[in-house]
Amino acid sequence: MSSTVAPDQVNRIVWNQHHDPFEVLGPHQITQDDKTVWVVRAYLPSADAAWVVCPEERTEYPMESTHHPHFFECLLDRAELSNYQLRIKEGDHERVTYDPYAFRSPLLTDFDIHLFAEGNHHRIYEKLGAHLTEVDGVKGVYFAVWAPNARNVSVLGDFNWWDGRKHQMRRIGNGIWELFIPGLGAGTHYKYEIKNQEGHIYEKSDPYGFFQEVRPKTASIVADLETYEWQDQDWIEKRRQTDPLTQPISVYEVHLGSWLHASSAEPYIRPDGTEEPPVIVADLKPGARFLTYRELADKLIPYVKELGFTHIELLPIAEHPFDGSWGYQVTGYYAATSRYGSPQDLMYFIDQCHQNGIGVIVDWVPGHFPKDGHGLALFDGTHLYEHADPRKGEHKEWGTLVFNYSRNEVRNFLVANALFWFDKYHIDGIRVDAVASMLYLDYQRKPGEWVTNQYGGRENVEAADFLRQMNHVIFSYFPGILSIAEESTTWPMVSWPTYVGGLGFNLKWNMGWMHDMLDYFHMDPWFRQFHQNNITFSIMYAFSENFMLAFSHDEVVHGKSAMIGKMPGDEWQKYANLRCLYTYMYTHPGKKTLFMSNEFGQWNEWNVWGDLEWHLLQYEPHQKLKHFVSKLNEFYRSEPALYTQDFSYDGFEWIDCNDNRHSVVSFIRQSKDPQEYVITVCNFTPQPHAHYRVGVPEPGFYRELFNSDAREYGGSNMGNLGGKWADEWSFHGRPYSIDLCLPPLGVLVLKVDRIKTREIAGSEPPEESP
């Protein structure tokens, strides 16, 4: 037969230079000898022969080579042609497959493309990426990727021997390339081969891919996120109806890869009976493997539940190539890391958290990304996701690139990614890393290494707009969630709503409080009398934002020492200081976060390559500190005064903050019910104080609810025998007062026992507290 296509068109296909291979390949109606017939064309680089197969007729038609040994054509004199197949002979091997170029209608609509172009396609992850789908009754995978400056894009995979000639994609609107490949399913490994305008080839993982190979391999894997059967509907509905800012929030921050390891000699058997290939930790931890998400569900969740934390915060679990980055250099923003198992395994972990009354917060990193060749850097041969100008597009200290927040499609990628984790994985919150690095153009840059904004300032206006858009979107879809900013500057209204000009977070880490507290507790207690301001200053600004108090992973690395090691004095004083600090933290306005190992007093800094020092729990001081944290969380959750008004002056009132001579402060925490309040008294020195008088607002018996110096926690057990009656003795500007014994390096929390007070009403209270 004579060829039905021009040689130059064939050459563009053969040399992979065609922006729309559908113009040449697949089925086409043509007129020949005044008749309308079908021609099927296929480029099959390794084929020796090929046939068009019509399954419904059980007939096949031979294809002929034209212009090139591997370019085949076949004429079919018929009115209709649908769902045909190709039988392909490659040496001694034959296979039958559907022709990808027979499926001609893009699955992305013009409206999808329009929304993406303007940065408002909130669920673009359901369109771009690799998706299991069915077209005209044929199952397969639909691939779509944004690469506007590419000359050509192909899908590479284990299904085509990683040959970019075999599945060339076509360009549709706004630089999106797409192709439906029939016959593929979940578990398919793939990448995109991207050629820039000069023909240089880049092999890239899928920016919207849901799963990746275990490092150091980098291929994306087709995954099904829709088949997991969630059992947390009650949790999700309750969350939707609840204002989290009026609830107790105490967070256990965890790095899944170093909380605990298993022996590589102990395989994990999946629920279906298959053996999970172990993911070895590193050469620095020989013979160890990571626990899977399902194993972590069995071990971590009961542990956190025993400790009484309300939430688990996971250091970044999006895919990242280097274990030592702790997850903060992300290459797969939509892919849960495969170190610990599959996406469904992570869903199981989060589902089990919810069924055990524990929320899940995920660290999210929209501030920068690494330069790894398979990632977002120079994605289509140009600075697509990052700024071209290194003065705006690079964090030299971190060796990472900065997202171009002014580009609609990049902003859409990130906004949709935040929504994705709530939508597909049912997480309860995000903690946004390094917000300050996003907000300031001169962040960690020397003079001359940064450029101003359009107004001549140092503020990154586009980044601020992106954060507002992101928070507005996620709260619109998922009320009741948390969005937490790690922001270390005085940028105003970080945790204020977007409709009043805020950035839209509902919590912000209080970095100032954290630094003040650690500086204060690090010093010898004798010197604390000269630094009372460290303790009291935070209340000056405590209600300007919705603050979370955090002692995070950053405070126990890089020579800063573990928490117990920061404390002064002998071993007893170190533990007493730590109990004192934690109790002050839990009674101070703001939600709470503690990093793993802080709960039992690990002596060494956190090491990402090793386990926590679990062997320490065989020793009584560490056991008692862990028990203390458990009881502290239990006490915190039981007292509405400690959490219902964290962000209002109505919830806090100093009794006395000026007794620097004794390094003592006292204050009231108030719930919305005027009769529900607690009195907190803190003694920050190892010197106990007998007959220490504290003013209180009303008469009655003040029961000692919590004492950080109790014997069960490893303290000296100095206290007030259960409580004290108030005396009609005006003190601290209040009509009544109580005479307390303050334990060394101890915190007392007291509350009016109204039942006991009513029982004794009308009679004189005893001279000595019972």
Side-chain angles (χ1 to χ4, degrees):
M1 60 173 285
S2 60
S3 177
T4 63
V5 63
D8 66 306
Q9 290 285 76
V10 174
N11 289 334
R12 289 177 66 191
I13 295 294
V14 169
W15 292 101
N16 198 353
Q17 294 178 344
H18 209 300
H19 73 282
D20 185 3
F22 284 83
E23 288 184 359
V24 178
L25 302 178
H28 296 265
Q29 279 191 311
I30 63 172
T31 301
Q32 192 173 66
D33 299 330
D34 297 326
K35 290 178 61 178
T36 299
V37 296
W38 288 93
V39 61
V40 175
R41 307 188 191 105
Y43 176 50
L44 307 169
S46 54
D48 300 313
W51 294 261
V52 174
V53 179
C54 297
E56 72 279 6
E57 299 175 3
R58 298 183 181 180
T59 55
E60 58 182 42
Y61 305 89
M63 304 186 77
E64 297 183 12
S65 297
T66 59
H67 297 304
H68 188 277
H70 300 301
F71 188 89
F72 297 90
E73 291 185 86
C74 178
L75 285 174
L76 296 101
D77 186 1
R78 54 193 297 135
E80 299 292 336
L81 180 64
S82 62
N83 282 9
Y84 68 86
Q85 295 173 309
L86 299 176
R87 181 163 69 90
I88 303 167
K89 185 176 185 298
E90 298 167 329
D92 295 331
H93 176 71
E94 287 193 8
R95 58 190 175 92
V96 177
T97 181
Y98 287 97
D99 183 0
Y101 300 100
F103 302 89
R104 309 189 68 81
S105 299
L107 298 190
L108 274 92
T109 67
D110 290 342
F111 190 51
D112 289 323
I113 295 169
H114 170 77
L115 288 177
F116 180 58
E118 68 176 21
N120 288 319
H121 200 310
H122 300 158
R123 286 194 165 99
I124 190 62
Y125 51 83
E126 294 182 345
K127 300 293 183 174
L128 296 184
H131 298 278
L132 298 167
T133 189
E134 185 175 308
V135 180
D136 297 334
V138 178
K139 293 181 178 180
V141 177
Y142 180 74
F143 297 91
V145 62
W146 179 59
N149 302 302
R151 189 186 74 187
N152 302 93
V153 181
S154 300
V155 184
L156 306 175
D158 49 12
F159 51 90
N160 64 13
W161 297 278
W162 304 94
D163 187 338
R165 300 172 297 170
K166 294 186 175 181
H167 289 97
Q168 302 174 36
M169 306 177 80
R170 70 171 162 191
R171 178 177 176 136
I172 54 177
N174 197 41
I176 294 173
W177 300 77
E178 62 91 41
L179 184 67
F180 172 72
I181 303 181
L184 301 186
T188 299
H189 292 59
Y190 72 99
K191 286 185 179 182
Y192 295 114
E193 179 187 272
I194 298 175
K195 289 185 180 178
N196 69 5
Q197 295 301 323
E198 289 74 39
H200 298 157
I201 295 176
Y202 303 81
E203 289 189 5
K204 295 290 186 176
S205 302
D206 189 346
Y208 291 86
F210 296 150
F211 197 31
Q212 284 190 14
E213 290 181 295
V214 176
R215 50 81 178 120
K217 296 180 179 181
T218 57
S220 297
I221 303 173
V222 177
D224 182 3
L225 303 188
E226 306 302 327
T227 55
Y228 180 82
E229 296 183 5
W230 290 90
Q231 304 297 321
D232 64 349
Q233 292 79 9
D234 291 343
W235 170 276
I236 297 296
E237 180 59 24
K238 181 180 178 182
R239 186 187 72 187
R240 193 177 71 84
Q241 302 289 345
T242 303
D243 177 6
L245 300 185
T246 64
Q247 303 301 307
I249 296 177
S250 61
V251 180
Y252 186 69
E253 187 188 30
V254 182
H255 178 259
L256 293 180
S258 57
W259 183 75
L260 181 68
H261 296 121
S263 168
S264 58
E266 302 172 10
Y268 172 66
I269 306 301
R270 298 181 59 82
D272 62 5
T274 60
E275 182 177 318
E276 179 83 6
V279 180
I280 304 303
V281 176
D283 292 337
L284 296 176
K285 180 76 173 176
R289 67 167 175 84
F290 290 122
L291 296 178
T292 68
Y293 292 117
R294 289 179 180 268
E295 288 176 305
L296 286 160
D298 294 339
K299 297 177 184 294
L300 176 59
I301 292 173
Y303 182 78
V304 173
K305 192 173 182 179
E306 176 194 356
L307 287 171
F309 288 96
T310 63
H311 291 72
I312 295 173
E313 179 182 325
L314 306 177
L315 268 65
I317 53 171
E319 195 57 82
H320 51 282
F322 178 48
D323 296 356
S325 76
W326 310 341
Y328 288 97
Q329 295 198 6
V330 178
T331 50
Y333 275 80
Y334 287 84
T337 179
S338 55
R339 286 168 175 80
Y340 320 121
S342 69
Q344 286 74 19
D345 293 336
L346 175 58
M347 292 174 182
Y348 174 83
F349 173 82
I350 295 172
D351 201 359
Q352 289 298 307
C353 284
H354 290 170
Q355 292 179 51
N356 283 275
I358 298 171
V360 179
I361 300 166
V362 169
D363 266 19
W364 188 56
V365 193
H368 60 118
F369 59 93
K371 300 177 181 179
D372 296 69
H374 68 281
L376 299 177
L378 291 173
F379 185 76
D380 63 357
T382 68
H383 299 281
L384 185 64
Y385 285 88
E386 69 273 24
H387 288 279
D389 187 340
R391 295 175 299 173
K392 294 183 71 175
E394 185 174 358
H395 282 308
K396 291 187 177 180
E397 184 170 323
W398 297 340
T400 55
L401 301 174
V402 180
F403 283 103
N404 182 353
Y405 305 108
S406 64
R407 190 159 197 164
N408 290 348
E409 297 89 349
V410 173
R411 197 168 61 251
N412 200 147
F413 171 82
L414 292 169
V415 171
N417 183 244
L419 187 70
F420 165 83
W421 291 98
F422 292 100
D423 182 16
K424 300 301 183 183
Y425 285 96
H426 291 205
I427 66 168
D428 302 284
I430 53 173
R431 175 262 191 189
V432 182
D433 178 63
V435 171
S437 74
M438 302 167 65
L439 291 176
Y440 295 96
L441 296 166
D442 62 345
Y443 184 85
Q444 294 185 349
R445 293 183 175 94
K446 298 175 183 178
E449 294 182 353
W450 62 283
V451 291
T452 66
N453 61 31
Q454 62 266 43
Y455 308 108
R458 58 194 283 258
E459 298 80 13
N460 191 331
V461 177
E462 292 88 359
D465 288 342
F466 152 67
L467 291 170
R468 292 188 185 98
Q469 181 186 0
M470 180 274 296
N471 281 315
H472 173 75
V473 167
I474 63 174
F475 283 115
S476 297
Y477 283 93
F478 298 102
I481 61 171
L482 298 172
S483 181
I484 307 164
E486 185 211 10
E487 205 286 313
S488 55
T489 74
T490 57
W491 186 285
M493 301 193 297
V494 171
S495 59
W496 290 37
T498 56
Y499 58 78
V500 297
L503 292 184
F505 295 94
N506 58 359
L507 285 171
K508 171 184 172 176
W509 273 15
N510 193 334
M511 309 296 282
W513 178 89
M514 180 269 296
H515 287 297
D516 285 347
M517 289 304 100
L518 293 182
D519 288 347
Y520 183 83
F521 274 84
H522 182 71
M523 67 180 69
D524 185 287
W526 188 85
F527 292 102
R528 291 176 182 174
Q529 62 185 305
F530 307 113
H531 298 273
Q532 187 88 342
N533 187 59
N534 280 48
I535 289 293
T536 61
F537 179 65
S538 60
I539 300 301
M540 296 291 291
Y541 62 87
F543 310 109
S544 61
E545 300 277 4
N546 300 335
F547 281 119
M548 173 171 277
L549 313 180
F551 293 125
S552 73
H553 62 279
D554 281 326
E555 309 317 314
V556 293
V557 290
H558 303 324
K560 297 179 184 178
S561 178
M563 287 295 290
I564 190 74
K566 300 177 194 290
M567 302 296 113
D570 59 23
E571 183 173 306
W572 187 93
Q573 289 192 19
K574 286 180 182 294
Y575 283 100
N577 267 298
L578 202 54
R579 293 193 304 270
C580 184
L581 172 58
Y582 289 169
T583 311
Y584 181 58
M585 173 189 189
Y586 270 70
T587 54
H588 188 286
K591 308 307 182 185
K592 330 296 177 188
T593 294
L594 283 178
F595 183 58
M596 64 182 193
S597 80
N598 289 349
E599 77 277 9
F600 64 83
Q602 177 167 307
W603 286 101
N604 289 317
E605 290 185 343
W606 169 49
N607 174 13
V608 71
W609 307 108
D611 293 336
L612 301 187
E613 296 178 336
W614 295 109
H615 65 279
L616 294 176
L617 284 172
Q618 66 185 300
Y619 303 111
E620 186 175 279
H622 298 279
Q623 293 173 6
K624 289 191 171 182
L625 181 60
K626 176 174 173 278
H627 175 64
F628 163 79
V629 170
S630 175
K631 300 299 285 188
L632 183 60
N633 272 314
E634 179 184 328
F635 168 63
Y636 167 65
R637 297 196 318 271
S638 70
E639 287 299 325
L642 295 178
Y643 58 79
T644 53
Q645 296 200 102
D646 270 323
F647 312 116
S648 166
Y649 282 105
D650 295 335
F652 179 91
E653 185 179 354
W654 285 117
I655 296 174
D656 180 24
C657 61
N658 297 312
D659 188 6
N660 63 294
R661 187 168 65 90
H662 295 101
S663 296
V664 172
V665 296
S666 52
F667 53 89
I668 297 174
R669 291 300 311 279
Q670 176 72 60
S671 75
K672 293 183 179 180
D673 181 348
Q675 293 195 324
E676 282 286 324
Y677 63 89
V678 296
I679 305 291
T680 302
V681 187
C682 309
N683 175 18
F684 297 117
T685 73
Q687 175 64 48
H689 301 298
H691 302 294
Y692 191 94
R693 190 161 290 277
V694 175
V696 293
E698 62 178 312
F701 180 74
Y702 283 77
R703 185 174 300 282
E704 189 177 273
L705 297 180
F706 196 85
N707 182 346
S708 69
D709 190 52
R711 180 179 289 115
E712 65 175 305
Y713 308 141
S716 64
N717 210 40
M718 190 174 291
N720 296 275
L721 300 175
K724 285 292 185 75
W725 285 94
D727 301 315
E728 196 171 348
W729 181 341
S730 178
F731 208 74
H732 290 143
R734 300 175 188 279
Y736 302 92
S737 59
I738 49 178
D739 180 8
L740 296 173
C741 173
L742 302 188
L745 294 170
V747 178
L748 302 176
V749 186
L750 305 103
K751 181 179 182 180
V752 176
D753 186 334
R754 301 193 182 278
I755 295 177
K756 183 166 185 174
T757 301
R758 283 196 299 269
E759 289 174 351
I760 310 298
S763 63
E764 292 293 324
E767 294 183 6
E768 296 292 332
S769 297

